[in-house]
């Protein structure tokens, strides 16, 4: 078994630099695509106000990402320096200090992004009618903002429809807000899967539906998924058409 070390201080650096650079470049491209996908989804299913909110909020995301990336790059430079100086015993203190800095930075960013989202939106010169949506986007950058826009549009254009969600907890929270504001869909199917805000969003949605007499199907807990939502919709269609028996659908 042969072990190969990438030493940037000896020999040709081009091949080694390419192997180091390409993953970072790919990460930056994916980060840029994140905002582009949001704009595509909201542009297709949302309103001009939502599009403005995502466009403005994406700039905040890009700024935060840039700051974190540059700090991480600084840590990498320090580690490379100590490796080049043959002082690996100092690398541990660099990594430990970086962990403390990033932990504190995470706490500060959480307070700023959640507590001052509206002020940030105004500072970024979001249109007055889009400030509320921009603030919501800034607070929920880890979720799918297209889901929020889609649920708001569904509430406006199809108030009596069946709403099925299998992936985005934010969509459930938006539906719950719309129900509290007067929306009365024919049925809500809430079965997102995952860990972040999944359990809480299902409980909030189910409580809102129960309080206002809206029929709901929810897979409580962390299990679910888009396939589960699709299966429930299919079962409802087959039940309405009295075709739950596979033989009634032509199966043998």
């Amino acid at each position: 078994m042969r072990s190969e070390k990438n030493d940037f201080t000896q020999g040709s650096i081009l091949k080694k630099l390419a192997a180091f650079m390409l993953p970072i470049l790919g990460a930056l491209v994916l980060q840029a695509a994140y905002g582009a996908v949001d704009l595509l989804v909201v542009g297709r299913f949302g309103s001009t106000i939502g599009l403005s909110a995502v466009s403005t909020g994406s700039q905040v995301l890009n700024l935060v990402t840039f700051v974190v990336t540059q700090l991480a790059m600084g840590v990498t430079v320090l580690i490379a320096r100590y490796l080049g100086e043959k002082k690996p015993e100092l690398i541990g203190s660099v990594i430990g200090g970086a962990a403390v800095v990033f932990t504190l930075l995470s706490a500060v960013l959480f307070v700023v992004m959640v507590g001052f989202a509206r002020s940030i939106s105004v500072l970024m010169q979001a249109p007055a009618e889009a400030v509320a949506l921009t603030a919501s986007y800034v607070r929920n950058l880890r979720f799918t903002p297209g889901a929020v826009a889609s649920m708001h549009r569904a509430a406006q254009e199809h108030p009596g429809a069946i709403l099925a969600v299998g992936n985005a907890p934010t969509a459930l929270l938006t539906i719950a807000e719309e129900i509290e504001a007067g929306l009365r869909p024919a049925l809500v199917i809430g079965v997102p899967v995952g860990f972040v805000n999944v359990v809480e969003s299902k409980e909030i949605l189910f409580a809102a539906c129960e309080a206002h007499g809206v029929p709901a199907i929810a897979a409580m807990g962390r299990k679910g998924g888009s396939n589960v939502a699709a299966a429930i919709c299919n079962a409802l269609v087959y039940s309405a058409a009295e075709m739950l028996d596979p033989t009634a659908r032509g199966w043998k």
Side-chain angles (χ1 to χ4, degrees), residues 6-174:
N6 287 325
D7 190 344
F8 282 80
T9 64
Q10 299 178 10
S12 175
I13 196 175
L14 183 59
K15 183 178 178 181
K16 300 170 185 176
L17 187 61
F20 179 77
M21 174 189 68
L22 289 177
I24 296 176
L25 180 61
L28 292 175
V29 170
L30 289 175
Q31 184 59 56
Y34 179 94
V37 170
D38 283 349
L39 288 173
L40 286 172
V41 172
V42 176
R44 174 66 179 84
F45 299 104
S47 61
T48 54
I49 295 176
L51 194 62
S52 175
V54 171
S55 178
T56 306
S58 294
Q59 302 309 310
V60 179
L61 174 61
N62 291 337
L63 176 61
V64 171
T65 303
F66 176 80
V67 171
V68 173
T69 301
Q70 297 310 306
L71 285 174
M73 189 64 68
V75 173
T76 304
V77 169
L78 285 175
I79 292 174
R81 172 190 169 185
Y82 290 136
L83 283 174
E85 293 177 350
K86 310 300 183 184
K87 298 177 180 178
E89 67 277 2
L90 298 178
I91 294 177
S93 60
V94 173
I95 295 176
V100 173
V101 169
F102 282 116
T103 300
L104 293 175
L105 181 61
S106 299
V108 171
L109 285 175
F110 177 82
V111 173
V112 172
M113 301 290 275
V114 174
F116 300 93
R118 189 175 184 85
S119 300
I120 292 173
S121 302
V122 173
L123 184 64
M124 294 293 292
Q125 297 185 349
E129 62 273 16
V131 167
L133 271 179
T134 305
S136 177
Y137 180 82
V138 170
R139 291 191 187 100
N140 297 281
L141 286 174
R142 63 187 182 277
F143 298 121
T144 308
V148 177
S150 298
M151 293 302 102
H152 282 308
R153 182 163 182 173
Q156 294 172 1
E157 298 186 3
H158 308 285
I162 295 176
L163 303 177
V165 178
N167 215 7
T170 316
L172 295 191
L173 296 176
T174 305

Side-chain angles (χ1 to χ4, degrees), residues 175-217:
I175 294 172
E177 292 174 2
E178 291 285 355
I179 289 173
E180 295 290 349
L183 176 67
R184 296 296 180 266
L187 172 68
V188 178
I189 300 170
V191 290
V193 61
F195 295 93
V196 179
N197 217 24
V198 169
V199 175
E200 297 83 355
S201 64
K202 291 176 181 177
E203 292 175 349
I204 291 172
L205 172 72
F206 199 78
C209 290
E210 196 172 37
H212 296 281
V214 176
I217 299 175

